[in-house]
Amino acid sequence: RPPALFGALHRPLRRSPRSARMSGIDMSLDDVIKQKSRGSRPNRSRADGGAVVRGGRRPLARRSAAPYTKRSTGEEAEGTMSGASVTDLAASGKASLKVSATSKPNTVAGAICNVVREAPGGVPPSVLATGPAALNQAIKAICIARKYLLEESPPIDIVCKPTFEQDVREGSNVRFELRRSEMITREPTEDDLSAKDRTDAFKLAGAIAGRIREGEDVAVTTKGPVPVLVTVKAIALAQTYVQERDENIDLSFAVQFRDLEDPELRGSPVSTFVHFAIIPTPI
C-alpha cells in the first residue's frame, strides 16, 4: 500500500448500472467524484449480503481487499475523467487524467493502473495538471501508480516526459506523457541535486544538462509543491539545453518516494521526499 502520509485509499462510490459514456471526457476527476456522490449513500450498517452487521461495521476481510485490482471490461472506470469504462477510455487513444489541487493521489493512481491494465499494449494515460499544488498531487499519484505497477507480474515500469502547454518560464500548465520503460533501479545518492522554493529553475536545468553531457547519472531530490514545480520546469528546460547542441537525446524521469534526511541539513529528521531519476534516451 502507499505510505500513510498521502491518505487512505478512496472508497468507491455505489453507482447505478448504466452504459459507459464517452461524453464528458474533459470533466475533471474531482467533478466526476462529486457528481457521483450526489446520489443516495450506501447503508453502511449492512454487509454486502444485506445482513445487519453489529456496530454498523463492515467485515475486516472487506477492508483488506487488494487495491487497484483489475476490473471487468464493462465496468465504469474508477477515478477516470468521465463515466466511461476503462476499456472505452483506453481504446479511445486519448486517455487523459486531469488532476486538480484537491485530487486524491490514490484515486488518480488507481485510474492510471487500471488504464495500463486495460489498454491495448498497456499504453499508460497522460496526466494533466495546472499550478504547483495540482502538479504536486499529480507527481504523488504517478509515484503511487509506479509502485503498484512494479508489483505486477511481470513488473511494469513507467517514466514521464513533461510538456508545458505555455512558456515554461511563466506557465505551470503541464502534460505528463507516461510511457512504459525498462526497469529503472536508480536510488538516491549524496551526489543528487536538490530543489527548494527559491531554487532557480534555469540554473538547475544547466546543472542537469551538464551532467547529461558528461554521461553522468543525474537525479533531483525534493519535496513540496513549489520545489516539485521547479524540478519539473528544470527537466523541461534541460531538454531544450541538450537539444541546442544538436544532441539527439530525449529526457524523461522516473519518480519514487524515499524517506531521507534533508540533504542540506545533516542530522535532520527523516521525512518523505520525491526522487526524480532523470533518464536520457537516444532518439
Side-chain angles (χ1 to χ4, degrees), residues 40-41 84 100 113 145 192 203 230 246 255 257 274:
S40 60
R41 297 180 64 83
S100 75
C113 291
D192 287 351
K203 291 181 179 179
V230 169
D246 298 324
V255 284
F257 292 128
V274 179

Side-chain angles (χ1 to χ4, degrees), residues 167-185:
D167 183 3
V168 67
R169 294 169 176 78
E170 303 294 336
S172 59
N173 255 10
V174 187
R175 175 185 292 272
F176 293 106
E177 298 291 348
L178 307 185
R179 61 178 175 81
R180 295 170 70 115
S181 168
E182 296 180 357
M183 296 287 292
I184 308 297
T185 58

